[in-house]
C-alpha cells in the first residue's frame, strides 16, 4: 500500500471507525481502528451490536534471555463508545472489555486504509515484536463474483525490532456461531447454540478448523458452516476451546525455545481431544458453543520479519423473508415462511469450498483488490477524496444489500440501527425493498457494478410496474407475490413520483453503462408506458410543468409547482428524448423535446425569485409539509442528474449557480450545540458542520414545514457538493464536503457508515458522482465514447474495463483490467 492511503489514525482518536469486511450480499464483520473485530453480521442480519465472544487474534512473544513471556490481544486497548447520536459504531462488546483487562493489549494501534483494505500497525514497549495487520475482502469493479466471496483475508507481518531473537505464537480464534440468530447477545446460555461441532482439516499448506451444527436441518435459516484457517500446515490447533481461560492455557503451552509447535505435548488443559489427529468432534452443550483456535509458531532473529496469513470464510445459504413488508396485509398468506436464499450459496458448496477458492486464488485476490485501491490512490484525487470515494463501495457490500438465490439484486433503504429504534427496532433491514425514491440518489452501484444496477431496472420493469405504467416505490418479496400496484404503500402512500422519474433517468444511465441496444429495445414499450403515465397524471395540459399531488422521498406529498420534482422531470424529459432517439422513435423524441422546452421556460419563470427556486402552490393544494419560499437544499437536483448523463442545461446555468450558492450560504450550519432538533439528530456538537435540508433565512417558515427540514442527510450533502463541482463552485462544494467528512472522521461517527433511516444508508451513495464532477470523466458505452474534462490523472470505470486517463496536452488512457474500446472526446 502506498503513502496515498488515508492518514494514519491512532485508535484512541478514532473509536467509531469500523471498516466493513464482507462481499456483495455475503454479510460480514468490521475491523475497528484498534484492530479488533466487531459488528458480526455473517447471516446478513443487520446488527451493529453483533459480537462473537472470544473471537480475534492473540500473540504470545517469548525470549530466553533476558526472560520474556507476554500474551496480548492483537489490538489496542478498547476506547469507550463516544456515544454519538443515532449510531453505535463505537460500541465495545462487554466480553472484549473484560478480556482486555485479563490479557494485555498493544500500547499503540494506528489505522490507515482505503476501502476495502485496512491496515493496523500495532506496537508495544513490553516486547519487540511489531505487528502490521492487513485485512480485506476481495473486490474489483465490474466483477460481481470476485466481489461477492464470503471471506475475510488477514495478513500479519511480524517484525522483531529488538537486538535479541524472539519466538512465539500468533493465534486466531473464532466462535462457532452456527445456530445463532444474529441478534440475541451470546452469553452462558444462548438460544440456538448447542450441538456445534468443530473439526480439524490439514493439507496443501494450511490448517483449518471447520465449524458447523449438525443438529440443524440443512434447510434451517441458521444452518451453514464457518472455517478459520492459517497458512501453516503444522500449526497448533485447538478445535474445542471452552473460553478465554482455555485459550490462555493453550497459548502458554504452545511454543518451545525453537519457536515450533509442541504437537506432542501431553494434554494439560482439560480437552481430551486436544492432540487427536483430527481434533475434537464432539458437540457443544445446549446453549453453548466452542471457539476454534489456530496457532502459528514463529521465530524471529533481530530485524527479521515473517508474514502469516489467516482467513475466516463462511457459508450461510438460507435467507428467508424476515422483515415487515409495506403495503396492505394479506391474511391469506397466513404464517408462510418465504424463502429468498443467497446467491453465493449457489456458487459454493460450503465454507470449505469458499476456503479452497481463497487459498487457491489468494495472491490474485489480493493483487486485484490492491489494483483498485491503487487506481484511486494514484490519481489526482486528494487523500480525503480517495478515502471517502472508496468507502462508497462499502454500502453495496454492507447488509443493506443482498443478491437472492434468484439472482436478483435487492437493497433496503438502510440497515436498522440506533437511528431507527423509535419506530422499527434496531435489527434487520430498513424500509424494504428497492425503494425507488431513496435509490434515486445512489450512483456507486451503477458506477462500480453496472450489471447489478441494470438488474434493479429489470426488477422494476418485470415485477414492479403496473399495467397502467406506474411503478410502486417498494418491492414485495418473494417477487411472485402480489406487488403494491393497487395498495397504499407507505412512505409515501402512493407510488413516489421522484422514484418513477429516476427509473427513466437510470435507464439512460444503464444504456450508457453497457446495457446495449437490445436491452433498450426490449424495455422501450415499458418506458413508454411509464412516461405516458407520468405525463397524463401530472402534465395533462402539456405545458411541461407538473401540478397536483406529487408523492416524494420526503415521505409526504409535495404539491404545486416545485423545483425538486420539476427539475427531475426536466432531466427525465431530456433522458427520455435521448432514449427515444437511440431506439429510433423520432416522434417520441420530438414530443419530449417540445415538452422540455416549454417546461424549462415555465419552471424558471414561475419559480426563480432572483436568488433561488421557490415553490408555488395552486389553489386548493395542501399547505402542510410544503416549503413555499424556503431554501430546499436539493431544489435543482435534476440538473445534477443532467450533468451525470451529459444532457446539458435544463434551466439557465446562471440561475442554477445562484440557487446553489444560496443553498450553501443559507443551509450550511456551523455548530449544532444550541440547535433545536424536532426529530432525528445527525449533527449535534458545537464543532459539527452540516447542510440542513431546508431553511427560511428571510422568514416565512410554514407552521407545518416540509418533513425533515431540520435534519442533515449525507446523501443530500453529497449531491449538493458534487453539483457545486459540476457548476464550477469549488469553494461551496468543498465547504459542504469538509463538514460531512469532519463529522465522519472516526472520532464520533464512522467514515464507512453514513446514517439516515438506518445504517449504511443507500442515499449516501450519491457521493460517487463526486468523481465525475471533479474529473469530467464520463463513459457512454452506447456511443462508444470516453468523455474527459479537467486536467489530471483520473479513474474511469465501465462495463468493459477500468483504469486511468491522464488529461493534459495529450490524453493517455491506461487500462488496469478489461478493455477500453472507446473514442476519447474532450470537453470544449
Amino acid at each position: 500500500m502506498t503513502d496515498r492511503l488515508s492518514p494514519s489514525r491512532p485508535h484512541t482518536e478514532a473509536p467509531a471507525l469500523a471498516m466493513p469486511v464482507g462481499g456483495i450480499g455475503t454479510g460480514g464483520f468490521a475491523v475497528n481502528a484498534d484492530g479488533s473485530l466487531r459488528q458480526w453480521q455473517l447471516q446478513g442480519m443487520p446488527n451493529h451490536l453483533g459480537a462473537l465472544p472470544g473471537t480475534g487474534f492473540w500473540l504470545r512473544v517469548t525470549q530466553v534471555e533476558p526472560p520474556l513471556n507476554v500474551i496480548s490481544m492483537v489490538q489496542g486497548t478498547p476506547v469507550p463508545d463516544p456515544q454519538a447520536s443515532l449510531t453505535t459504531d463505537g460500541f465495545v462488546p462487554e466480553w472484549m472489555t473484560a478480556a482486555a483487562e485479563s490479557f494485555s493489549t498493544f500500547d499503540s494501534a494506528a489505522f490507515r486504509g482505503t476501502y476495502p483494505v485496512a491496515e493496523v500497525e500495532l506496537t508495544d514497549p513490553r516486547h519487540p515484536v511489531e505487528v502490521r495487520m492487513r485485512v480485506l475482502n476481495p473486490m474489483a469493479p465490474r466483477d460481481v463474483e470476485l466481489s461477492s466471496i464470503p471471506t475475510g483475508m488477514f495478513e500479519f507481518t511480524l517484525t522483531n525490532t529488538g537486538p535479541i531473537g524472539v519466538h512465539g505464537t500468533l493465534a486466531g480464534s473464532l466462535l462457532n456461531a452456527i445456530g445463532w440468530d444474529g441478534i440475541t447477545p451470546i452469553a452462558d446460555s444462548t438460544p440456538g447454540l448447542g450441538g456445534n461441532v468443530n473439526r480439524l482439516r490439514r493439507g496443501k499448506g494450511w490448517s483449518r478448523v471447520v465449524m458447523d451444527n449438525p443438529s440443524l436441518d440443512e434447510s434451517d435459516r441458521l444452518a451453514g458452516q464457518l472455517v478459520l484457517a492459517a497458512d501453516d500446515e503444522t500449526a497448533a490447533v485447538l478445535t474445542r476451546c471452552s473460553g478465554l481461560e482455555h485459550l490462555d492455557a493453550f497459548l502458554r503451552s504452545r511454543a518451545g525455545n525453537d519457536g515450533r509447535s509442541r504437537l506432542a505435548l501431553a494434554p494439560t488443559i482439560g480437552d481430551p481431544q486436544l492432540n487427536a489427529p483430527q481434533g475434537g468432534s464432539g458437540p457443544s452443550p445446549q446453549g453453548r458453543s466452542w471457539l476454534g483456535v489456530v496457532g502459528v509458531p514463529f521465530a524471529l532473529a533481530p530485524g527479521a520479519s515473517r508474514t502469516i496469513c489467516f482467513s475466516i470464510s463462511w457459508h450461510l445459504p438460507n435467507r428467508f423473508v424476515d422483515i415487515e413488508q409495506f403495503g396492505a396485509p394479506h391474511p391469506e398468506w397466513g404464517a408462510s415462511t418465504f424463502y429468498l436464499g443467497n446467491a453465493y450459496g449457489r456458487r459454493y458448496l460450503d465454507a470449505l469450498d469458499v476456503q479452497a477458492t481463497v487459498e487457491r486464488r489468494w495472491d490474485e485476490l489480493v493483487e486485484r483488490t490492491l489494483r483498485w485501491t491503487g487506481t484511486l490512490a494514484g490519481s489526482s484525487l486528494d487523500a480525503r477524496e480517495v478515502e471517502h470515494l472508496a468507502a462508497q463501495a462499502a454500502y453495496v457490500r454492507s447488509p443493506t444489500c443482498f443478491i437472492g438465490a434468484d439472482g436478483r439484486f435487492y437493497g433496503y433503504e438502510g440497515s436498522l440501527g440506533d437511528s431507527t429504534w423509535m419506530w422499527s427496532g434496531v435489527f434487520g433491514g430498513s424500509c424494504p425493498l428497492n425503494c425507488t425514491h431513496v435509490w434515486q440518489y445512489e450512483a456507486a452501484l451503477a458506477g462500480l457494478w453496472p450489471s447489478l444496477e441494470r438488474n434493479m431496472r429489470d426488477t422494476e420493469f418485470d415485477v414492479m410496474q403496473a399495467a397502467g405504467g406506474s411503478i410502486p416505490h417498494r418491492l414485495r418479496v418473494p417477487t411472485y407475490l402480489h406487488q403494491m400496484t393497487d395498495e397504499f404503500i407507505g412512505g409515501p402512500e402512493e407510488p413516489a413520483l421522484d422514484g418513477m422519474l429516476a427509473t427513466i433517468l437510470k435507464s439512460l444511465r444503464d444504456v450508457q453503462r453497457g446495457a446495449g441496444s437490445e436491452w433498450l429495445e426490449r424495455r422501450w414499450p415499458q418506458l413508454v408506458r411509464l412516461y405516458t403515465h407520468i405525463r397524463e397524471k401530472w402534465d395533462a395540459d402539456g405545458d411541461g410543468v407538473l401540478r397536483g399531488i406529487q408523492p416524494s422521498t420526503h415521505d409526504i406529498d409535495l404539491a404545486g409547482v416545485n423545483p425538486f420534482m420539476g427539475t427531475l422531470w426536466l432531466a427525465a424529459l431530456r433522458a427520455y428524448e435521448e432514449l427515444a432517439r437511440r431506439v429510433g422513435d423520432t416522434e417520441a423524441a420530438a414530443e419530449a423535446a417540445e415538452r422540455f422546452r416549454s417546461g424549462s421556460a415555465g419552471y424558471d419563470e414561475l419559480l426563480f425569485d432572483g436568488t433561488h427556486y421557490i415553490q408555488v402552490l395552486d389553489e386548493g393544494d395542501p399547505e402542510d409539509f410544503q416549503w413555499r419560499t424556503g431554501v430546499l437544499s436539493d431544489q435543482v437536483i435534476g440538473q445534477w442528474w443532467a450533468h451525470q448523463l451529459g444532457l446539458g442545461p435544463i434551466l439557465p446555468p446562471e440561475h442554477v449557480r445562484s440557487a446553489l450558492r444560496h443553498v450553501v450560504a443559507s443551509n450550511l450550519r456551523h455548530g449544532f450545540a444550541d440547535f433545536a432538533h424536532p426529530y432525528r439528530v445527525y449533527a449535534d456538537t458545537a464543532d459539527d458542520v452540516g447542510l440542513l435540508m431546508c431553511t427560511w433565512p428571510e422568514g416565512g417558515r410554514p407552521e407545518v414545514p416540509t418533513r425533515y427540514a431540520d435534519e442533515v442527510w449525507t446523501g443530500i450533502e453529497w449531491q449538493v457538493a458534487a453539483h457545486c463541482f459540476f457548476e464550477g463552485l469549488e469553494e461551496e462544494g468543498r465547504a459542504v464536503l469538509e463538514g460531512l467528512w469532519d463529522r465522519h472522521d472516526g472520532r464520533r461517527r464512522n467514515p464507512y457508515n453514513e446514517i439516515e433511516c438506518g445504517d449504511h444508508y443507500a442515499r449516501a451513495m450519491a457521493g460517487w458522482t463526486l468523481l465525475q464532477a471533479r474529473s469530467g470523466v464520463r463513459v457512454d458505452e452506447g456511443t462508444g465514447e470516453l468523455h474527459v474534462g479537467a486536467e489530471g490523472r483520473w479513474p474511469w470505470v465501465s462495463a468493459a474495463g477500468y483504469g486511468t486517463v491522464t488529461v493534459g496536452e495529450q490524453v493517455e488512457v491506461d487500462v488496469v483490467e478489461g478493455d477500453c474500446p472507446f473514442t476519447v472526446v474532450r470537453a470544449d
Side-chain angles (χ1 to χ4, degrees):
M1 298 175 69
T2 73
D3 290 336
R4 292 296 309 279
L5 295 177
S6 65
S8 180
R9 292 180 173 92
H11 81 281
T12 54
E13 296 180 9
L17 186 152
M19 180 185 284
V21 180
I24 302 173
T26 68
F29 56 91
V31 56
N32 188 264
D34 63 7
S36 64
L37 308 183
R38 308 186 191 178
Q39 299 182 12
W40 289 91
Q41 305 167 101
L42 301 183
Q43 298 96 334
M45 169 60 70
N47 177 14
H48 275 198
L49 305 180
L52 298 186
T55 298
F57 291 94
W58 316 81
L59 181 71
R60 183 189 182 196
V61 179
T62 57
Q63 183 178 279
V64 177
E65 291 182 359
L68 178 68
N69 185 18
V70 177
I71 296 178
S72 295
M73 304 172 71
V74 184
Q75 65 173 79
T77 303
V79 177
D81 189 341
Q83 300 289 321
S85 61
L86 303 187
T87 180
T88 55
D89 283 309
F91 170 75
V92 183
E94 291 183 10
W95 82 265
M96 191 174 292
T97 300
E101 294 173 354
S102 299
F103 291 78
S104 66
T105 54
F106 277 74
D107 180 69
S108 173
F111 177 97
R112 64 202 304 252
T114 299
Y115 182 85
V117 182
E119 281 192 355
V120 182
E121 302 277 355
L122 298 132
T123 58
D124 196 288
R126 288 168 295 184
H127 61 75
V129 176
E130 180 181 275
V131 179
R132 181 171 69 91
M133 166 186 174
R134 182 165 71 186
V135 56
L136 60 86
N137 175 276
M139 177 186 148
R142 307 162 44 251
D143 193 331
V144 174
E145 182 174 335
L146 179 138
S147 303
S148 306
I149 301 175
T151 192
M153 301 169 64
F154 301 82
E155 294 180 349
F156 293 90
T157 300
L158 312 181
T159 302
N160 181 359
T161 61
I164 300 173
V166 297
H167 52 271
T169 300
L170 176 66
S173 60
L174 175 65
L175 183 70
N176 182 341
I178 301 301
W180 178 49
D181 63 8
I183 298 174
T184 306
I186 297 175
D188 289 340
S189 181
T190 304
L193 296 182
N196 297 76
V197 174
N198 293 352
R199 300 179 302 279
L200 171 62
R201 294 289 182 269
R202 297 188 192 273
K204 298 183 179 180
W206 287 73
S207 297
R208 313 166 194 87
V209 178
V210 183
M211 308 178 184
D212 56 21
N213 190 330
S215 69
L216 299 175
D217 185 87
E218 66 179 11
S219 64
D220 192 285
R221 179 176 70 90
L222 302 175
Q225 192 181 69
L226 310 176
V227 175
L228 170 68
D231 67 340
D232 188 328
E233 197 166 346
T234 66
V237 175
L238 176 58
T239 56
R240 297 192 305 173
C241 178
S242 60
L244 294 183
E245 290 185 8
H246 196 173
L247 173 61
D248 180 65
F250 169 79
L251 291 169
R252 292 185 186 280
S253 68
R254 283 305 86 201
N257 292 344
D258 62 354
R260 297 306 301 169
S261 169
R262 291 182 180 174
L263 292 177
L265 184 71
T268 59
I269 54 178
D271 186 350
Q273 298 292 330
L274 178 62
N275 300 296
Q278 292 301 317
S281 58
S284 63
Q286 189 66 30
R288 303 289 296 273
S289 188
W290 309 115
L291 288 167
V293 185
V294 180
V296 177
F298 63 86
L300 296 172
S305 296
R306 178 182 171 186
T307 297
I308 300 170
C309 298
F310 283 83
S311 64
I312 296 173
S313 299
W314 59 95
H315 187 269
L316 294 136
N318 301 328
R319 181 187 291 265
F320 292 83
V321 175
D322 56 3
I323 49 177
E324 182 179 351
Q325 305 210 59
F326 281 71
H330 286 262
E332 67 273 17
W333 296 343
S336 301
T337 300
F338 294 111
Y339 176 80
L340 294 174
N342 285 314
Y344 80 80
R346 300 172 67 94
R347 188 175 301 126
Y348 302 101
L349 296 174
D350 52 25
L352 263 176
D353 191 22
V354 177
Q355 179 62 29
T357 298
V358 171
E359 293 173 15
R360 185 178 68 255
R361 300 177 61 188
W362 186 284
D363 291 342
E364 175 208 351
L365 298 177
V366 172
E367 180 184 358
R368 291 186 64 188
T369 303
L370 295 180
R371 282 182 200 163
W372 168 241
T373 57
T375 298
L376 290 174
S379 72
S380 295
L381 298 165
D382 65 42
R384 292 194 91 184
E385 289 171 331
V386 168
E387 177 184 19
H388 290 279
L389 281 171
Q392 289 277 298
Y395 297 84
V396 179
R397 292 163 26 114
S398 76
T400 291
C401 306
F402 65 97
I403 306 175
D406 60 1
R408 292 190 186 277
F409 181 88
Y410 298 103
Y412 300 108
E413 288 187 22
S415 297
L416 295 177
D418 206 47
S419 62
T420 58
W421 64 265
M422 72 292 288
W423 69 272
S424 193
V426 297
F427 310 116
S430 171
C431 301
L433 199 61
N434 289 32
C435 179
T436 60
H437 63 70
V438 168
W439 281 78
Q440 180 249 123
Y441 287 78
E442 79 80 19
L445 181 67
L448 292 168
W449 296 282
S451 65
L452 293 181
E453 176 68 35
R454 186 163 65 253
N455 185 296
M456 296 188 86
R457 284 310 74 63
D458 291 335
T459 297
E460 288 166 10
F461 287 128
D462 292 338
V463 179
M464 299 168 68
Q465 188 171 33
S470 66
I471 297 178
H473 54 272
R474 299 194 192 280
L475 172 70
R476 181 176 279 138
V477 288
T479 57
Y480 55 76
L481 295 179
H482 178 76
Q483 296 301 313
M484 290 171 268
T485 54
D486 53 359
E487 304 171 8
F488 283 151
I489 302 168
E493 291 187 343
E494 296 185 354
L497 175 56
D498 44 351
M500 289 188 280
L501 294 171
T503 295
I504 297 174
L505 291 161
K506 290 188 171 190
S507 294
L508 177 56
R509 185 171 67 184
D510 291 335
V511 171
Q512 293 181 348
R513 301 291 171 87
S517 58
E518 290 184 5
W519 182 89
L520 176 56
E521 290 171 2
R522 187 170 74 254
R523 296 305 180 195
W524 182 241
Q526 294 158 302
L527 280 160
V528 171
R529 290 209 311 272
L530 173 60
Y531 172 74
T532 302
H533 167 76
I534 296 170
R535 181 187 66 191
E536 293 181 352
K537 184 166 184 176
W538 287 283
D539 186 24
D541 61 5
D543 67 353
V545 175
L546 305 179
R547 286 180 167 83
I549 301 301
Q550 301 158 46
S552 78
T553 194
H554 308 92
D555 295 334
I556 46 87
D557 295 330
L558 300 181
V561 183
N562 70 83
F564 173 77
M565 211 67 79
T567 58
L568 284 173
W569 167 236
L570 293 175
L573 283 169
R574 284 285 295 110
Y576 187 79
E577 176 191 352
E578 179 65 21
L579 288 165
R581 295 188 190 284
R582 295 194 185 204
V583 83
D585 192 336
T586 56
E587 183 178 344
E591 188 275 340
E594 179 55 36
R595 196 176 292 258
F596 166 79
R597 283 190 289 271
S598 174
S600 177
Y603 274 107
D604 193 64
E605 181 180 349
L606 290 167
L607 302 185
F608 190 70
D609 74 348
T611 58
H612 70 291
Y613 288 92
I614 63 173
Q615 176 189 33
V616 176
L617 298 182
D618 291 324
E619 184 177 353
D621 282 338
E623 297 189 3
D624 287 354
F625 300 117
Q626 311 305 311
W627 70 87
R628 307 294 289 267
T629 60
V631 182
L632 188 74
S633 281
D634 50 3
Q635 61 184 261
V636 285
I637 187 172
Q639 186 60 71
W640 170 70
W641 260 109
H643 283 305
Q644 290 180 61
L645 301 176
L647 298 176
I650 62 171
L651 289 167
E654 64 275 15
H655 291 180
V656 171
R657 287 191 285 271
S658 173
L660 285 171
R661 290 192 190 97
H662 199 58
V663 163
V664 176
S666 301
N667 295 5
L668 189 63
R669 183 180 177 89
H670 296 258
F672 284 79
D674 60 346
F675 186 74
H677 293 280
Y679 196 26
R680 298 172 296 191
V681 182
Y682 302 117
D684 57 353
T685 71
D687 296 327
D688 278 348
V689 176
L691 190 73
L692 294 166
M693 275 194 60
C694 191
T695 65
W696 289 262
E698 304 299 324
R701 179 182 174 121
E703 184 175 345
V704 181
T706 187
R707 182 172 284 178
Y708 312 125
D710 302 301
E711 294 186 354
V712 176
W713 291 0
T714 65
I716 292 178
E717 289 181 298
W718 277 112
Q719 178 259 309
V720 170
H723 193 178
C724 285
F725 277 97
F726 275 128
E727 300 290 348
L729 304 177
E730 182 171 333
E731 183 178 347
E732 289 83 355
R734 289 271 179 210
V736 175
L737 290 177
E738 292 298 329
L740 164 60
W741 294 345
D742 286 347
R743 293 198 319 274
H744 295 82
D745 64 358
R747 294 176 186 269
R748 300 182 69 243
R749 295 181 178 85
N750 188 0
Y752 305 103
N753 177 26
E754 295 168 21
I755 62 172
E756 192 187 308
C757 188
D759 293 300
H760 303 288
Y761 200 72
R763 199 189 315 267
M765 288 188 281
W768 190 251
T769 62
L770 178 66
L771 177 59
Q772 181 185 344
R774 283 277 285 112
S775 66
V777 174
R778 179 175 64 85
V779 175
D780 188 337
E781 298 189 55
T783 59
E785 295 173 338
L786 174 63
H787 295 258
V788 299
E791 291 192 356
R793 182 178 177 85
W794 307 108
W796 61 269
V797 184
S798 74
Y802 83 87
T804 58
V805 56
T806 302
V807 182
E809 289 187 9
Q810 304 293 323
V811 177
E812 297 181 4
V813 179
D814 293 315
V815 178
V816 176
E817 288 192 6
D819 194 13
C820 183
F822 310 122
T823 300
V824 174
V825 178
R826 299 192 70 152
D828 295 334

